[in-house]
């Protein structure tokens, strides 16, 4: 059985190396227009080669010999949303780390959480949304920080919603199992409290403890939707390194959705390379890439 699987894998690899069709401008325009209008992701002409390489393996799986064949297939109204999701899984980038861009977490610890307690919310439920959470590392980082804060502030409790457009990465997030190589992203004191390390030397993995996993609820969401189906109002929304894929009109639409879901004086945290400059929004910048609802 193992030999048979290896033979199939080698055959697939050979097909991959022999695939030589190129994504032509006409098909790129059709695909990029569909992706923009349905998912908000803005693929500039310079992204044509990237889109070609990202979709190539999907063409091979489907047995298409040209990008035109694939384009005609995926954009056919009878194809259905399942293949749209496969396409989005191919083109989205899911780079993430524990404690990535740590200044945002420092600000949360030093400013946002003390402010929450000082405003008489000590026995309330602190609500966070991690939008574009990828494999869950951001959500679990937030959970560890809030658990530490709860240890020092009796009565404090929290909940975290976490979303992503990619169903595949959400599977990883829910499992909360990561390779041991990722340990260096997490401070030692947190490793001791919040991680379970595998005792199997052949599976060098670790997992977040149940108390942390249970605090995070995951769901799939396209940020371009008109209705997010979320009833909660949040004290912080993290949406980091996601807005860079959208043009300004799409960013403004999404930010207005975030504002609607934030409590008064609550916070929106973007990535360090992202900004709300020149957007018509009712938010004040209080730190680099951190904004407060007015």
């Amino acid at each position: 059985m193992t030999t048979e699987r290896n033979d199939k894998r080698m055959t697939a690899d050979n097909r991959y190396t022999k695939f030589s069709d190129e994504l032509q401008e006409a098909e790129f325009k059709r695909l990029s227009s569909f992706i923009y209008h349905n998912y908000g992701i803005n693929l500039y002409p310079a992204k044509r080669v990237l889109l070609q390489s990202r979709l190539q393996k999907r063409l091979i799986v489907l047995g298409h010999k040209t990008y035109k064949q694939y384009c005609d297939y995926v954009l056919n109204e009878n194809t259905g949303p399942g293949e749209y999701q496969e396409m989005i899984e191919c083109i989205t980038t899911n780079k993430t780390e524990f404690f990535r861009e740590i200044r945002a977490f420092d600000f949360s610890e030093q400013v946002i959480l003390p402010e929450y307690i000082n405003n008489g919310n000590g026995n309330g439920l602190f609500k966070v949304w991690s939008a574009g959470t990828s494999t869950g590392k951001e959500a679990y980082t937030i959970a560890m920080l809030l658990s530490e804060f709860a240890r020092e502030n009796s009565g404090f409790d929290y909940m975290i919603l976490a979303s992503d457009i990619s169903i595949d990465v959400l599977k990883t997030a829910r499992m909360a199992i990561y390779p041991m190589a990722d340990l260096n992203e997490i401070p030692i004191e947190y490793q001791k409290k919040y991680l379970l390390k595998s005792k199997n030397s052949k599976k060098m993995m670790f997992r977040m403890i149940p108390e942390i996993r249970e605090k995070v609820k995951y769901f799939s969401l396209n940020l371009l939707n008109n209705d997010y189906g979320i009833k909660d109002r949040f004290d912080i929304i993290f949406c980091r390194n996601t807005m860079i894929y959208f043009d300004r009109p799409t960013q403004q639409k999404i930010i207005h959705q975030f504002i609607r879901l934030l409590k008064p004086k609550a916070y929106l945290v973007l990535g360090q390379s992202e900004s709300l400059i020149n957007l018509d929004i009712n938010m004040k910048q209080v730190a680099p890439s951190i904004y407060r609802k007015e």
Side-chain angles (χ1 to χ4, degrees):
M1 182 66 75
T2 302
T3 302
E4 182 181 346
R5 284 200 301 268
N6 289 339
D7 289 344
K8 289 181 178 179
R9 190 178 299 114
M10 289 174 66
T11 301
D13 289 343
N14 289 338
R15 290 170 62 197
Y16 180 74
T17 57
K18 293 177 181 178
F19 194 89
S20 59
D21 189 56
E22 294 184 0
L23 178 62
Q24 301 300 319
E25 183 176 358
E27 279 66 51
F28 173 75
K29 286 182 177 179
R30 290 175 67 192
L31 289 170
S32 60
S33 177
F34 177 84
I35 292 166
Y36 174 75
H37 287 102
N38 288 275
Y39 301 98
I41 300 171
N42 197 10
L43 295 172
Y44 299 100
K47 299 288 187 180
R48 183 171 11 149
V49 174
L50 175 65
L51 184 61
Q52 174 181 307
S53 65
R54 292 283 181 89
L55 292 176
Q56 191 174 88
K57 288 186 178 181
R58 189 62 192 160
L59 267 70
I60 293 171
V61 169
L62 294 169
H64 297 314
K65 298 182 185 300
T66 68
Y67 284 94
K68 185 179 186 306
Q69 281 184 340
Y70 172 77
C71 196
D72 291 342
Y73 167 71
V74 76
L75 300 184
N76 187 306
E77 62 182 15
N78 295 321
T79 296
E83 188 56 38
Y84 302 157
Q85 185 65 40
E86 292 287 353
M87 178 172 61
I88 290 301
E89 299 289 353
C90 289
I91 68 173
T92 49
T93 301
N94 297 301
K95 175 178 171 53
T96 184
E97 298 172 1
F98 291 102
F99 293 88
R100 185 183 184 186
E101 298 180 0
I102 195 167
R103 284 187 298 177
F105 301 117
D106 290 341
F107 187 88
S108 299
E109 283 185 296
Q110 298 165 12
V111 177
I112 299 177
L113 289 170
E115 180 181 276
Y116 178 82
I117 296 296
N118 292 337
N119 287 338
N121 298 310
N123 293 316
L125 187 63
F126 191 79
K127 296 183 179 182
V128 183
W129 177 16
S130 171
T133 195
S134 189
T135 57
K137 289 185 177 182
E138 176 177 87
Y140 292 129
T141 298
I142 297 167
M144 287 187 281
L145 291 174
L146 295 182
S147 291
E148 284 294 292
F149 190 77
R151 288 170 181 263
E152 300 170 0
N153 293 270
S154 178
F156 175 85
D157 199 4
Y158 68 93
M159 59 86 72
I160 301 170
L161 287 183
S163 67
D164 201 279
I165 196 172
S166 170
I167 294 173
D168 283 351
V169 297
L170 290 176
K171 291 177 183 177
T172 299
R174 291 188 179 99
M175 288 295 294
I177 298 174
Y178 303 97
M180 205 71 81
D182 294 344
L183 275 179
N184 60 2
E185 301 171 5
I186 303 174
I188 293 294
E189 61 270 26
Y190 290 166
Q191 292 182 27
K192 295 177 180 179
K193 294 177 184 177
Y194 302 115
L195 309 185
L196 298 171
K197 298 179 183 179
S198 173
K199 296 180 181 179
N200 187 339
S201 60
K202 295 181 180 180
K203 294 182 178 179
M204 303 298 289
M205 311 290 284
F206 68 87
R207 192 179 195 187
M208 309 308 299
I209 64 171
E211 290 86 342
I212 291 294
R213 299 199 306 270
E214 291 164 1
K215 285 293 188 179
V216 187
K217 304 301 180 186
Y218 291 99
F219 66 106
S220 177
L221 178 68
N222 179 355
L223 290 174
L224 207 63
N225 289 352
N226 290 322
D227 183 5
Y228 289 173
I230 298 175
K231 305 302 181 184
D232 292 292
R233 293 297 180 267
F234 297 96
D235 296 284
I236 310 179
I237 295 177
F238 286 81
C239 186
R240 303 191 303 160
N241 306 299
T242 298
M243 304 301 286
I244 55 175
Y245 298 105
F246 305 127
D247 62 10
R248 290 313 247 182
T250 305
Q251 288 177 359
Q252 180 148 317
K253 176 182 177 180
I254 293 170
I255 294 298
H256 278 294
Q257 290 271 48
F258 288 160
I259 292 173
R260 182 178 62 82
L261 292 169
L262 285 169
K263 297 176 183 178
K265 304 298 182 181
Y267 293 86
L268 172 64
V269 182
L270 302 180
Q272 290 181 3
S273 62
E274 298 170 319
S275 166
L276 301 184
I277 293 174
N278 298 325
L279 291 184
D280 181 19
I281 57 168
N282 187 27
M283 299 201 84
K284 178 182 179 181
Q285 185 170 2
V286 294
S289 302
I290 300 177
Y291 298 80
R292 185 176 63 206
K293 180 177 177 178
E294 293 294 278

